[in-house]
Amino acid sequence: MPSSQELRVLFITPEVFPLCKTGGLGDVSAALPIALRSLQIDVRLLLPGYPQVLAGVKYKSKVAEFNELPQFPPATLLSARLSLSKSEHIPVFVIDCPGLYHREGGPYMDALGRDWPDNALRFGLLSKIGAILSSDASPIAWQPHIAHCNDWQSGLTPAYLHYHAGKKAATVMTIHNLAFQGIFPPGSVVQLGLPPDSFDINGVEYYGNLSFLKAGLYHTDHITTVSPNYAEEIQTESLGFGLQGLLAGRRQHITGILNGISTSEWDPATDPHLAKNYTNKKLSDKAVNKSTLQQQMGLAVDADIPLFGIVSRLNHQKGTDLLIQVAPQITKIPAQLVILGSDHAELEHQLTALTQTYPHEIAVRIGFSEALSHLIEAGADCFLMPSRFEPCGLNQMYSQRYGTPPIVHATGGLLDTVVDCTPITLANGSASGFVFYPMTAENLLNTIKRAATAYHHKKNWQRLQKNCMAKDFSWHTSAAAYREIYLSLLP
Ligand code: ADP
């Protein structure tokens, strides 16, 4: 049995920061492997060769050809290096398959927001090569002990491995968001080279279709998800998205491990995207970021008015509809709102319309901007995250690190990471934000009002900010928990 120093892990993921990121999975796919590598685990990434991945990795060299997988176009496997900073590097394998990945647009959708019609093949190939590299059929010498799959896009890896008769790695499947399941018509099963009898309730079938995620959850050796609270919630009807039965049946094999954050990428003392860097010793410097943000976004520049920030996908999960409902009343508190995000076209439209009615109080930027997201974390007084469900959530941790207490609905990882501010929690030093339940527009508005009132008690507010900034959200503990799971799966 290898010690953790000899452990080899293939981390299979459809996105990685900074090359390709649509949400938290991109951040985690960079930060967790870095943390595992600092524990001396030999983690390597397996990624699809989108144009930005091929352009962004260094020292590419060809290590294998896959020209004879009957279901897929020809592909080349490259070995390369992803550098995150001067001292942080991750070895990566990139699948260069021009027929599936050489195109403009996002990883899952085209520029108009339509799913790529060949997503089953795009991520079938990722899963398939993940399985080959994790078995004795691999054409390369480096062989992992563990195949660590992430979300539906790599969900078929455990299924392909299940049907491989030879030696193979153990598998871990991490659920970053159970709402995305990779569902395709039944004909895809044979198209993707799975045996016809795999299309069964005890296999890859899910209510008459193929589900990549179900296939992974059914066949994997161990399941993890990104917070302890979400690990419980997904076993219930309200948040199980139809998979609660399967998950409850596998509860002995499910572990909730809280995501960490990259404390180098998200550090107010050094963040290059800020107007002024600051630490908890000199919070007055944070104010420069507020005025810069107000100015940049065309809001009234006013140090006293509480400013609420949002960086989010704009959709039902994230509670954008409720926020829109209460936005006019927020302006009357008085308070300001800055929103960065995109997703649901109608919600984007409604938010933009609000800025016309309240040009000095509400500012919206539709789109994706890493730089603005950092400035909002620093410049806002409070961060808003009224998600209906949230597997872990990263922004509420970023905001605490930036001394910007979050307002969150009591769900998933939000409940695991934010402590409601009350006289008791403020006195004992644990308060770090504002938590509401249940999820109604009225509760959201009342909590925003509660935070706005608290904001005007400067001494207490600073205490709250300092509590936030003192919290440790690094990957240290969580990476060690993943190591324990890897080690427990070795023969
Ligand atoms: P999810 O993965 O469900 O979208 P998380 O809170 O786990 O939510 O992670 C979201 C990540 O994506 C964070 O790093 C957040 O800052 C980033 N993000 C989301 N929308 C945008 C945007 N419009 N511009 C920049 N970053 C964004």
Side-chain angles (χ1 to χ4, degrees):
M1 178 163 145
S3 69
S4 72
Q5 273 84 0
E6 292 151 341
L7 197 58
R8 294 184 295 275
V9 177
L10 184 67
F11 194 92
I12 310 169
T13 180
E15 52 183 273
V16 65
F17 172 84
L19 306 182
C20 169
K21 162 176 159 181
T22 69
L25 173 57
D27 286 346
V28 172
S29 297
L32 174 57
I34 288 286
L36 290 167
R37 289 186 69 79
S38 74
L39 297 176
Q40 315 302 322
I41 299 174
D42 183 1
V43 183
R44 306 188 186 191
L45 255 50
L46 177 67
L47 285 168
Y50 317 119
Q52 63 274 36
V53 168
L54 290 169
V57 295
K58 288 192 222 157
Y59 312 120
K60 292 191 284 279
S61 69
K62 183 156 93 177
V63 289
E65 299 265 16
F66 292 94
N67 293 329
E68 276 149 34
L69 298 175
Q71 297 79 20
F72 301 101
T76 304
L77 188 69
L78 308 172
S79 159
R81 190 163 97 170
L82 169 63
S83 294
L84 297 162
S85 67
K86 278 203 182 105
S87 59
E88 294 174 323
H89 312 283
I90 313 173
V92 295
F93 294 112
V94 179
I95 304 168
D96 187 12
C97 179
L100 294 180
Y101 305 135
H102 285 202
R103 57 182 82 157
E104 296 305 317
Y108 319 123
M109 291 186 265
D110 66 16
L112 297 175
R114 295 170 302 201
D115 283 348
W116 293 115
D118 54 356
N119 269 345
L121 276 181
R122 283 161 66 81
F123 299 106
L125 183 65
L126 175 68
S127 298
K128 178 74 184 178
I129 293 186
I132 294 172
L133 298 183
S134 306
S135 75
D136 57 7
S138 175
I140 64 173
W142 185 88
Q143 297 209 349
H145 301 99
I146 305 287
H148 188 156
C149 307
N150 293 278
D151 274 355
W152 72 264
Q153 294 88 343
S154 50
L156 289 191
T157 296
Y160 285 124
L161 283 173
H162 174 76
Y163 292 103
H164 177 77
K167 235 181 117 203
K168 52 197 156 190
T171 52
V172 173
M173 174 98 220
T174 297
I175 305 168
H176 298 264
N177 192 335
L178 196 62
F180 302 112
Q181 304 191 343
I183 294 178
F184 299 97
S188 317
V189 171
V190 174
Q191 271 167 19
L192 292 168
L194 286 162
D197 66 0
S198 67
F199 193 66
D200 187 86
I201 186 164
N202 295 312
V204 305
E205 185 267 351
Y206 179 71
Y207 294 106
N209 284 310
L210 160 68
S211 161
F212 275 47
L213 183 64
K214 189 252 170 152
L217 297 177
Y218 184 81
H219 286 295
T220 192
D221 295 307
H222 200 85
I223 297 167
T224 70
T225 188
V226 290
S227 68
N229 195 34
Y230 193 60
E232 295 300 321
E233 290 175 344
I234 56 177
Q235 297 175 44
T236 65
E237 197 177 332
S238 58
L239 288 177
F241 287 94
L243 287 164
Q244 61 273 14
L246 187 163
L247 291 166
R250 299 212 63 193
R251 65 174 301 122
Q252 304 304 329
H253 302 279
I254 301 179
T255 312
I257 303 176
L258 197 64
N259 278 340
I261 62 172
S262 164
T263 47
S264 54
E265 206 54 51
W266 293 90
D267 182 354
T270 56
D271 189 331
H273 301 299
L274 304 197
K276 183 148 194 174
N277 291 115
Y278 59 94
T279 65
N280 60 357
K281 306 250 158 18
K282 201 160 169 238
L283 271 168
S284 53
D285 288 343
K286 187 178 188 298
V288 180
N289 295 292
K290 178 172 178 176
S291 56
T292 305
L293 182 63
Q294 286 171 322
Q295 211 163 22
Q296 240 183 54
M297 299 297 288
L299 295 172
V301 177
D302 179 344
D304 285 331
I305 191 165
L307 172 54
F308 293 84
I310 293 183
V311 180
S312 176
R313 291 185 287 119
L314 303 172
N315 59 26
H316 185 257
Q317 178 199 336
K318 301 291 180 178
T320 312
D321 50 324
L322 285 199
L323 179 79
I324 290 169
Q325 258 184 59
V326 302
Q329 283 115 296
I330 295 176
T331 64
K332 296 197 181 85
I333 290 176
Q336 294 177 334
L337 267 180
V338 167
I339 300 161
L340 165 66
S342 62
D343 196 1
H344 193 285
E346 176 54 28
L347 297 173
E348 290 176 0
H349 173 74
Q350 289 177 22
L351 281 171
T352 309
L354 278 171
T355 63
Q356 273 141 30
T357 318
Y358 305 100
H360 304 296
E361 295 89 4
I362 302 180
V364 175
R365 176 83 55 86
I366 302 297
F368 201 93
S369 164
E370 197 66 35
L372 183 57
S373 73
H374 285 241
L375 184 63
I376 291 177
E377 293 288 8
D381 295 307
C382 234
F383 195 85
L384 274 177
M385 230 166 143
S387 306
R388 284 195 167 78
F389 67 94
E390 194 59 78
C392 177
L394 295 174
N395 278 306
Q396 83 283 7
M397 295 192 268
Y398 300 149
S399 72
Q400 287 173 76
R401 187 155 163 79
Y402 279 58
T404 306
I407 295 181
V408 302
H409 172 223
T411 185
L414 299 177
L415 196 56
D416 284 322
T417 51
V418 183
V419 177
D420 189 43
C421 181
T422 65
I424 295 172
T425 57
L426 197 59
N428 70 22
S430 63
S432 68
F434 301 87
V435 183
F436 68 93
Y437 184 86
M439 176 78 179
T440 62
E442 194 187 354
N443 277 340
L444 171 60
L445 179 63
N446 286 339
T447 311
I448 292 172
K449 286 182 178 164
R450 180 156 71 92
T453 306
Y455 170 75
H456 292 297
H457 292 95
K458 290 295 167 209
K459 236 170 113 189
N460 282 350
W461 190 259
Q462 273 209 6
R463 230 155 124 190
L464 181 62
Q465 289 180 299
K466 289 189 176 180
N467 287 351
C468 288
M469 295 177 86
K471 286 176 84 163
D472 177 8
F473 290 117
S474 70
W475 269 103
H476 197 71
T477 314
S478 300
Y482 278 103
R483 177 179 57 186
E484 287 315 301
I485 287 171
Y486 297 155
L487 290 172
S488 76
L489 295 176
L490 298 177

